[in-house]
Amino acid sequence: MRAQILEDDDQFGVWRPDLECCLVSLEYHAAAHTGILRLPHLNCTDMSGAIKLFAAIDPDVETIFTFQCGEQAEDCDIPDTAYSRRGSGKWFAIPCATMRERFAAAGGGPWKI
């Protein structure tokens, strides 16, 4: 699948129909079985699309974190949603408000909930 470049700027990313949003970047940490998606500001991903994307990289993926880029290029990234697989193999989502609250409590940033 070929992604369409929307703008010549890293903050806008490329449209991914499987994620139902634009994607700026992705990382995968194989030892931790953890994926990270960076999305443009105000974008959020489709849960099943994110899981399928990382399951294609590693069928044993356990956790996926999504972050929105800050509104301005110099702003820090904003924790969005996390997806985690339970022992039963079922996936569940940790909503953005909870993610931001946990990151803020850990000293990770001044995000509004």
Side-chain angles (χ1 to χ4, degrees):
M1 175 183 319
R2 192 175 180 124
Q4 176 185 1
I5 297 177
L6 299 179
E7 295 284 344
D8 188 23
D9 186 329
D10 286 344
Q11 293 293 90
F12 292 102
V14 294
W15 174 254
R16 292 285 308 231
D18 55 342
L19 299 176
E20 298 183 20
C21 70
C22 291
L23 174 66
V24 173
S25 67
L26 69 82
E27 292 180 45
Y28 189 72
H29 298 273
H33 302 285
T34 300
I36 300 171
L37 295 173
R38 267 185 78 233
L39 312 171
H41 188 67
L42 299 178
N43 276 239
C44 62
T45 187
D46 173 69
M47 180 176 175
S48 62
I51 292 167
K52 286 177 186 175
L53 176 64
F54 283 106
I57 295 169
D58 178 2
D60 296 325
V61 62
E62 295 174 0
T63 307
I64 300 165
F65 293 101
T66 68
F67 292 84
Q68 291 181 24
C69 294
E71 188 171 3
Q72 303 296 319
E74 63 275 2
D75 293 344
C76 61
D77 290 346
I78 303 164
D80 193 45
T81 304
Y83 308 113
S84 185
R85 186 178 357 198
R86 294 189 174 154
S88 65
K90 293 187 178 188
W91 286 87
F92 67 97
I94 301 171
C96 59
T98 303
M99 284 284 293
R100 292 175 189 177
E101 184 178 270
R102 290 181 184 178
F103 270 74
W111 299 288
K112 294 179 182 175
I113 299 170

